[in-house]
Structures are given as C-alpha cells and as structure tokens.
Amino acid sequence: MTVEIDSLEVRYGATRALRDVSCRVAGGEVLALIGANGAGKSTLLRTLAGVTRPRAGTVRVLGQDTTRLRAHDIARRGLRLVPEGRHLFDDLTVGENLWMGAHRSRREAERNSSQLERVFELFPVLREFAGRRAGALSGGQQQMVAIGRALMGRPSVLLLDEPSLGLAPRYVAQIMDVVGGLAADGTTVVIAEQNAAAALRTADQGIVLSNGRITHSGPARGLLEDDDVSRHYLGVGTNDRTDGGEPRRLTLALDRLDV
C-alpha cells in the first residue's frame, strides 16, 4: 500500500478533529474524502503531509513511518499537498511558480525540464501563460498552476484539498480528468472535496467523514449508489434515482460538467 493510516487521532485543544481514522490507499488509486465543512477532510490531508501532528495513531507513506516527520522531509519522500486556496506567488510568473516546486540541483535539471513539459501537456493553457503573472489568472487557471507546481516535484502521492472550490464547471471537469490521468500513470491521489459527485465519479475508493469519524467507506461507485450518502451529501434520495440506480439529479449535473 502507498498510504496506510491507522487509528489516527488529531486534536485542536479540547476539540477532536479526527477520531480513530484508519484507511489504506494503493498505488495508482484515487481516494475521495467527502463530508461537510469541519468534518475533518483538510485535517486529514494536513496530517498526511506533516503540517499537523497527530495525538495518536500512525501514518505510513511508501512503506515508511512518516507520523513524526517534518513536512519537508515527507515531501522529499514523494508526497505533495496542494492546499485549499492555492497559495501562489501572485507577483511571480506562471513559469516561476511552477519552478518553485521543482527539485533544485544540477543533476535534476534535465528531469525538471521534462516534468515541466509534462505539466504543460496536462494543462496546455499554462504554456501560453508561462510569462504572465500568476495573480492575473482566473481561479481555474490558478488551480492548474498550484497542481502543476506540486507535480514538478514528481510526487508518488498527491493530496488535493478542495481543488474545485469556486471554479467554473469546465475547470472542474478538466481537473478531475487530470486526476484520473495521473492515477492511470501510477500516482496515488487523495482528494478532499465538497463536490462529492465529481470526486466520487473520479475516485476508486471513497470515505465519508463526519465530526472527525469515518461514517461510510468503500468503492466510490458503491457510495454514489448508497441512499444515505446520496441523501446527505449528493442531495438526492431513492425517488430521485435513474433506472440504473444512479441519482438522477447527480447524473444530470455530471452530464453538464462532462466529468
């Protein structure tokens, strides 16, 4: 397994943000974390990345115990986090922002150039805007830069925190398509999303978090068809389903997104 989480507990003062969270993510698999605001999705990603320290439990990435490692040490081991809000350097160009995510050494120069070309293949608009200030881009384009910057480090594990937040549907569709392509190439992706429909449609596995606990888990397709998950997180119920079992309003929404 690429990512292994066992009995994870995280507290912010007296508040337990995560409670006894355990899961496994295999190589080249997409795991969707869904749940309401404050459910613990971002906390779980931040803990995996070493930004937040757990009170109890263990995290293993690529077979190594990373529970107590610092964030930059975890990043060196092949895990990268794209945080909510993107956190770009607005006054730097798109190209400069991308290079910020690259390994810096002479021996890495050729591989970095190859990876930059890969980022441009995934997000062609970034090649066109490479010399433009990042702060002048649209929200969707900035999200592409943030993901591209993380990919410059050639991660084995990519964590995405609310990548579709505030984006137009066409950008949501493009980003989810890229996520699927990265997984097909062997990158493990963990994506925290309030857009549960798009995330589950893209993912292999899913976890529903509520008040820091896992309430549902399993194959993403099964969660899409679970009536309790549909009612609480997709806004549909049994009477809203198509003959094929998928929520009708979900199907219509995804058709509009072309996800």
Side-chain angles (χ1 to χ4, degrees):
M1 289 291 170
T2 301
V3 178
E4 302 169 81
I5 304 167
D6 287 301
S7 304
L8 204 62
E9 179 179 337
V10 174
R11 287 179 179 263
Y12 297 128
T15 302
R16 282 199 293 177
L18 293 177
R19 312 178 186 200
D20 195 29
V21 171
S22 298
C23 68
R24 303 284 187 274
V25 194
E29 192 171 70
V30 179
L31 172 67
L33 307 177
I34 66 173
N37 276 332
K41 305 186 301 298
S42 294
T43 295
L44 181 52
L45 292 188
R46 288 169 60 85
T47 304
L48 293 178
V51 178
T52 298
R53 288 294 181 91
R55 183 184 181 95
T58 59
V59 176
R60 296 179 67 83
V61 176
L62 300 171
Q64 296 182 314
D65 188 339
T66 60
T67 313
R68 302 297 169 187
L69 292 184
R70 293 172 295 182
H72 65 270
D73 290 323
I74 295 174
R76 288 196 187 105
R77 284 164 170 76
L79 182 148
R80 292 295 176 98
L81 168 66
V82 180
E84 181 183 345
R86 300 180 281 273
H87 298 284
L88 300 181
F89 298 95
D90 288 348
D91 291 333
L92 298 183
T93 67
V94 168
E96 289 167 338
N97 270 276
L98 293 175
W99 280 108
M100 293 293 288
H103 295 292
R104 296 305 181 99
S105 68
R106 291 181 180 176
R107 65 182 180 181
E108 293 283 352
E110 185 175 343
R111 294 184 69 192
N112 287 340
S113 295
S114 176
Q115 189 65 7
L116 180 64
E117 186 62 30
R118 171 65 173 147
V119 170
F120 287 155
E121 289 173 0
L122 291 171
F123 302 115
V125 71
L126 299 187
R127 186 194 302 275
E128 178 184 350
F129 292 161
R132 185 173 298 187
R133 270 197 333 111
L137 303 185
S138 70
Q141 292 160 354
Q142 288 184 358
Q143 187 64 66
M144 293 176 189
V145 177
I147 295 173
R149 180 177 60 187
L151 293 177
M152 285 297 295
R154 301 186 295 277
S156 299
V157 182
L158 181 66
L159 310 180
L160 301 175
D161 195 358
E162 302 287 358
S164 76
L165 187 64
L167 302 190
R170 66 189 181 98
Y171 287 123
V172 177
Q174 186 174 355
I175 287 169
M176 293 301 173
D177 187 55
V178 166
V179 167
L182 291 171
D185 288 341
T187 303
T188 298
V189 183
V190 182
I191 178 170
E193 263 292 348
Q194 288 194 60
N195 189 338
L200 289 173
R201 190 44 109 61
T202 304
D204 301 290
Q205 301 290 326
I207 285 176
V208 179
L209 286 167
S210 179
N211 296 318
R213 294 183 182 275
I214 295 176
T215 61
H216 300 76
S217 64
R221 184 70 189 187
L223 293 178
L224 277 170
E225 297 174 352
D226 183 282
D227 195 55
D228 187 50
V229 173
S230 295
R231 184 168 55 253
H232 288 94
Y233 300 100
L234 304 176
V236 294
T238 304
N239 294 332
D240 297 304
R241 293 184 179 279
T242 64
D243 292 339
E246 188 169 85
R248 181 177 290 106
R249 290 202 293 273
L250 167 61
T251 302
L252 294 174
L254 289 170
D255 286 344
R256 287 195 294 272
L257 289 175
D258 293 328
V259 174

